[in-house]
Amino acid sequence: MSIPIICDCDPGHDDAIALILALSRKELDVKAVTTCAGNQTPDKTLNNALRILTMLGRSDIEVAGGATKPLACDLIIAPDVHGESGLDGPELPSPIFQASKLNAIELMAKTLQASEESITLVPTGPLTNIALLLSAYPHLHKKVKQIVLMGGAAGVGNWTPAAEFNIFVDPDAANIVFKSGIPIVMCGLDVTHQAQIMDEDIERIRAIPNPIAQCVAELLDFFMIYHRDPKWKFEGAPLHDPCTIAWLLKPELFETQDCFVGIETKGEYTQGMTVVDRYSLTDKQPNAKVLFGLNRQGFVDLIVESLMFYNK
């Protein structure tokens, strides 16, 4: 039985790879793809989702653009990481189909309403669209099985000393999501910084004889450039967003802990911080399953295995 999911993303190299992985697996049923501003501007992230689905021959999946800016902040993007297009590196096809006339929130609501079973939301960008959905359609909360998101950290941030990029871009949206009462799986920097792809892993991917694997290798070539900065002290490039898909496919690859997670929406130094009560220091009940450990080799093997699907 396939797990029905909606991918809400801001492609972005690692978002694109997460989509490619999700669409390679019979265990997952991608019902819709929605986009928001984040890694790049909203027009570019929407176009990038359409380009990826065009490359994969999946114009049957409805795609909708969503929030053009955070709920209460000015938009921040990450062109230094993802380039001018948001997916610099490989040559991707132009879209052969158009985005839905619905916006992202309307498409998610329509998809949830039409489904006989509950659906997992998989946001890999800022949580603006998800917060708007939950606020506008409270009666649909029961149709959401869980929210498996990439964002946050129990330790240090990667955009400010305290905050991870996705949460920092729209902390008010994250606050709504984490207070929603819907089960949350948080794939934060604690685990995604362990999900590093090394040079030899990229060559292993490049050796897979299909054009999708070649595209992924070229995405990783570009993504690696930013992460070679010595300040990060990385051996490779952390594949943040594919951790969400890997969790859905093989949760046994991860070490988890149920924790209370609070979102700092204001603060001179801490805006966007995810305050993770790892040691039960407060009386607040856990509201998220937080991922802390990863079998990195198993993660890489899963990516390679998934990309071999496209040999057919």
Side-chain angles (χ1 to χ4, degrees):
M1 192 73 168
S2 296
I3 301 169
I5 67 174
I6 295 173
C7 295
D8 182 67
C9 53
D10 60 335
H13 292 68
D14 47 341
D15 301 80
I17 294 170
L19 274 176
I20 290 167
L21 295 182
L23 289 165
S24 75
R25 308 292 300 207
K26 65 181 184 303
E27 301 98 315
L28 301 178
D29 179 11
V30 180
K31 296 291 189 182
V33 173
T34 56
T35 64
C36 65
N39 285 328
Q40 256 296 354
T41 53
D43 55 329
K44 292 179 180 179
T45 58
L46 176 58
N47 187 57
N48 286 341
L50 294 169
R51 293 162 78 201
I52 290 295
L53 292 180
T54 293
M55 179 182 70
L56 298 178
R58 294 304 305 269
S59 58
D60 57 303
I61 297 175
E62 197 166 359
V63 180
T68 59
K69 65 178 293 294
L71 296 182
C73 307
D74 292 333
L75 176 62
I76 297 167
I77 61 173
D80 290 349
V81 184
H82 299 280
E84 180 62 27
S85 71
L87 282 180
D88 281 10
E91 289 190 18
L92 294 169
S94 297
I96 62 168
F97 68 111
Q98 294 184 331
S100 173
K101 293 180 180 178
L102 301 176
N103 66 39
I105 292 83
E106 292 167 338
L107 176 57
M108 285 191 283
K110 182 188 83 167
T111 305
L112 289 167
Q113 286 170 332
S115 179
E116 294 183 359
E117 54 186 323
S118 58
I119 293 178
T120 293
L121 304 181
V122 187
T124 54
L127 291 167
T128 317
N129 286 341
I130 305 300
L132 289 170
L133 171 73
L134 298 180
S135 299
Y137 298 93
H139 64 286
L140 291 179
H141 287 204
K142 63 181 181 294
K143 301 295 289 287
V144 179
K145 180 177 181 180
Q146 60 183 341
I147 300 171
V148 180
L149 64 90
M150 190 279 129
V156 298
N158 67 348
W159 202 254
T160 74
E164 177 274 331
F165 176 78
N166 285 343
I167 306 298
F168 181 76
V169 169
D170 198 342
D172 299 283
N175 192 40
I176 291 170
V177 171
F178 276 86
K179 287 181 174 178
S180 68
I182 294 170
I184 290 172
V185 177
M186 175 177 138
C187 305
L189 300 181
D190 312 279
V191 73
T192 67
H193 279 180
Q194 298 174 52
Q196 290 185 43
I197 293 290
M198 310 301 182
D199 288 328
E200 57 268 28
D201 302 321
I202 297 176
E203 294 313 309
R204 186 179 170 197
I205 290 169
R206 205 185 315 274
I208 300 171
N210 69 64
I212 308 305
Q214 304 311 305
C215 174
V216 170
E218 291 173 14
L219 285 167
L220 290 169
D221 287 339
F222 186 90
F223 198 52
M224 187 73 86
I225 296 169
Y226 175 80
H227 295 96
R228 289 196 191 281
D229 188 323
K231 73 180 180 184
W232 298 116
K233 299 181 180 178
F234 290 144
E235 293 181 57
L239 271 189
H240 307 283
D241 297 338
C243 286
T244 59
I245 302 303
W247 161 260
L248 288 169
L249 294 169
K250 288 195 172 182
E252 64 271 18
L253 293 175
F254 298 86
E255 297 172 10
T256 70
Q257 184 178 338
D258 293 337
C259 300
F260 169 76
V261 179
I263 309 298
E264 185 58 67
T265 59
K266 293 179 174 60
E268 183 179 358
Y269 300 112
T270 58
Q271 181 171 326
M273 182 178 183
T274 41
V275 181
V276 179
D277 187 9
R278 190 170 185 178
Y279 302 113
S280 300
L281 300 176
T282 72
D283 60 358
K284 296 182 181 297
Q285 292 300 305
N287 60 352
K289 186 178 293 295
V290 182
L291 307 189
F292 283 106
L294 171 68
N295 177 339
R296 192 198 77 87
Q297 191 58 56
F299 175 75
V300 174
D301 291 345
L302 176 62
I303 291 172
V304 170
E305 173 191 318
S306 299
L307 290 174
M308 286 180 178
F309 165 83
Y310 295 106
N311 288 348
K312 300 174 184 177

